[in-house]
Amino acid sequence: MDGTVPSAPLDKTKVLDVKPLRSLRPVLPSSPQAPPFVCAPPFGPFPPGFSPFYPFSTPEFTPDNNQNNNTQTPPTSFATPIRSFRSPDVNFVDGSNGDLGSSDGFLDGKKRRTSSYKQKRPKNVQDSDFSVGISSFERDDGNRQVVNNVLMRFDALRRRISQIEDAKETSTGLIRRADLKASNILMSKGVRTNMRKRLGVVPGVEIGDIFFFRMEMCLIGLHSQSMAGIDYMITRSDLDEEPVAVSIISSGGYDDDAEDSDILIYSGQGGNANRKGEQAADQKLERGNLALERSLRRASEVRVIRGMKDAINQSSKVYVYDGLYTVQESWTEKGKSGCNIFKYKLVRIPGQPGAFALWKLIQRWKDGMSGRVGLILPDLSSGAEAIPIALINDVDDEKGPAYFTYLTTVKYSKSFRLTQPSFGCNCYSACGPGNPNCSCVQKNGGDFPYTANGVLVSRKPLIYECGPSCPCNRDCKNRVSQTGLKVRLDVFKTKDRGWGLRSLDPIRAGTFICEYAGEVVDKFKARQDGEGSNEDYVFDTTRTYDSFKWNYELGLIEDDDPSDTTEEYDIPYPLVISAKNVGNVARFMNHSCSPNVFWQPIIFENNNESFVHVAFFAMRHVPPMTELTYDYGISKSDGSNYEPHRKKKCLCGTLKCRGYFG
């Protein structure tokens, strides 16, 4: 261009032959000592002396070596994509909004050693097998089924790693973070979803969903920052690009929130907080702070996750997804240390289901600050349980279920004491994981069945617990099913399925809920007594139950060779329990074809005799006020024929409903 201004108007329809910069010819080395420039297809052939590099070092794709014969796509590479890396510019979070925890082993900005687990590739198993059911499309955009699949696989692996760590002696300076190790393994195997960052709703994630680890939110794309409280993405326009917040985590608890549960006052990040949580410098308008400011200007939606203390385990936190908010105001104010802190006012978008507001209401119920609508009895157990069980009916005028005697455990008659005693353990303090001399541990295949905080690790054919005959004390961690209720439960009236059971507390996957209490009866007598509606109060281990996988995937951890991996139950004798006249809260759990609770047979000794008990555990994380359900199974008249006349219509309403049970 010579700088002259054209006299006639420009013809904008004319296409100019202007080549972009990226199409210019590259300048290659001209030195004779420089290596020659080689251009070859990703999978070869390659000139002599040259070899491919990862990820092109895998065999060339052909339809014959593709495991899925229905697709003609190349094999998936599980190299971590660039967009999944943690933003390097976020180094600190404000202590009032986010708890620190890094997948890199950093806490409070200081690096410490972390114990490591090498990933093991099992024999005859390809990498893609670990992401069965997760397509490349679903890794970018998930759904409810994929989200649940990822979360269950993560927690199963995390529990196994925790079990292994508990069995080892604690080394000085090591950070025992099974959640970080499990998430790193799954990410490397492509077991994740919603990797594409987005504003607004995340496919497959529902308001009210709960999480016990921040890495769970990373794996499902709800909040991709493992440490920072503000997650953002870069938006690009024709003229500029700028950060916009996609989600925030507020971990300040109730005291740091506004009185209105739909309003959140959020503190910015940065300022190099010291060990006391005080700001050491003014916060800057950059990174996450700038992203929230731009979200205010654009009026864009921001996902909000609230973090609170776990009611069952006070040393840990639980996070609830509270839905979409918008940033309404921003300002700066002086902190306790005298440094400037950014403040943001976020307001919840109306019309969304309640989540955090429900948590605050439940807390007021627990504190006795608010009366409950439909309260019939404050404690259905009349003091038999350590934690009161409320009886609630806010649906109709029914005053309660039919009378029964509350019993906290199963009741055997002499004629059913069939199992020969095998004697208890020889531990005189408390049984410990990894103790080769503990007979109860050895009966469980050499592994302690529970983690240090009492969470079940894996389903087993039969779990052996320490019983009254064991010399170990009552605090032994191998007595989980004998220590009573740990969560606050409600018996409540449902709209169309009679009475049901729910929890006021969030329940972690693998948490013991209760056992099925009642009288052990003869099966034929149970059928006679179980005619009509009374059949709802019979638990029968001889029924056929839908199989499901809950345990961790083998081959992901180096030198991990568990002795027993089956999830099929092996009970020494058929067990039928009737809760018609005596029982506990388990008699009120309804059937579902997609349950959130499963049963596990447990055996322990008392007075030199062994007894089998049926214990219920959470299949996955259960949010507060969610009905607890399990699969009732299907009765059989013999080993092959079903009894169609005993079937009942199923009203669970789930997508996998088979239409009947019983």
Side-chain angles (χ1 to χ4, degrees), residues 385-405:
E385 300 284 5
I387 302 176
I389 304 164
L391 181 64
I392 304 291
N393 184 1
D394 55 3
V395 175
D396 53 34
D397 296 330
E398 187 176 356
K399 297 303 181 183
Y403 176 81
F404 72 100
T405 301

Side-chain angles (χ1 to χ4, degrees), residues 33 53 87 164 171-172 187 192-193 200 258 304 320 372 414 419 438 468 496 507 535 582 616 629:
Q33 287 78 23
F53 56 89
S87 300
I164 295 174
S171 301
T172 305
M187 285 183 180
R192 59 188 310 183
T193 186
V304 170
V320 57
R372 300 193 62 180
K414 292 184 179 180
T419 305
C438 178
D496 57 357
I507 303 178
E535 188 181 12
V582 296
F616 290 103
T629 58

Side-chain angles (χ1 to χ4, degrees), residues 364-580:
R364 290 198 295 269
W365 290 344
K366 293 180 179 179
D367 296 340
M369 300 170 57
S370 176
R372 300 193 62 180
V373 176
L375 178 64
I376 299 175
L377 288 174
D379 185 9
L380 180 67
S381 74
S382 300
E385 300 284 5
I387 302 176
I389 304 164
L391 181 64
I392 304 291
N393 184 1
D394 55 3
V395 175
D396 53 34
D397 296 330
E398 187 176 356
K399 297 303 181 183
Y403 176 81
F404 72 100
T405 301
Y406 199 96
L407 190 68
T408 59
T409 187
V410 68
K411 180 180 180 182
Y412 276 81
S413 62
K414 292 184 179 180
S415 59
F416 284 93
R417 296 177 180 178
L418 303 177
T419 305
Q420 294 296 323
S422 57
F423 304 105
C425 70
N426 52 1
C427 305
Y428 288 92
S429 55
C431 297
N435 182 2
N437 299 319
C438 178
S439 58
C440 289
V441 171
Q442 294 305 314
K443 292 175 187 176
N444 287 298
D447 290 322
F448 217 59
Y450 307 104
T451 63
N453 56 0
V455 172
L456 181 66
V457 176
S458 302
R459 295 170 66 210
K460 286 180 171 292
L462 187 64
I463 287 180
Y464 293 85
E465 282 193 352
C466 295
S469 300
C470 296
C472 57
N473 57 42
R474 295 293 300 174
D475 295 330
C476 174
K477 295 185 181 299
N478 197 29
R479 299 174 182 258
V480 169
S481 70
Q482 305 166 57
T483 56
L485 302 181
K486 293 295 183 292
V487 296
R488 189 177 293 267
L489 301 172
D490 274 354
V491 173
F492 72 106
K493 187 66 181 294
T494 67
K495 293 182 179 180
D496 57 357
R497 298 197 293 166
W499 297 93
L501 187 68
R502 66 190 178 194
S503 172
L504 297 182
D505 297 323
I507 303 178
R508 178 182 298 191
T511 297
F512 170 72
I513 297 174
C514 64
E515 76 165 284
Y516 197 98
E519 296 177 295
V520 176
V521 297
D522 181 85
K523 183 172 183 178
F524 297 102
K525 181 179 183 299
R527 289 184 177 180
Q528 295 175 356
D529 295 342
E531 292 180 358
S533 60
N534 293 334
E535 188 181 12
D536 296 338
Y537 302 120
V538 173
F539 186 93
D540 188 353
T541 61
T542 65
R543 289 182 176 180
T544 299
Y545 296 88
D546 285 347
S547 61
F548 65 95
K549 181 171 178 56
W550 192 71
N551 294 356
Y552 65 100
E553 294 162 289
L554 298 179
L556 295 178
I557 305 173
E558 182 74 22
D559 300 328
D560 182 24
D561 187 20
S563 58
D564 193 355
T565 60
T566 180
E567 298 186 44
E568 298 296 327
Y569 297 144
D570 184 14
I571 305 175
Y573 50 84
L575 185 63
V576 179
I577 305 173
S578 173
K580 173 186 175 183

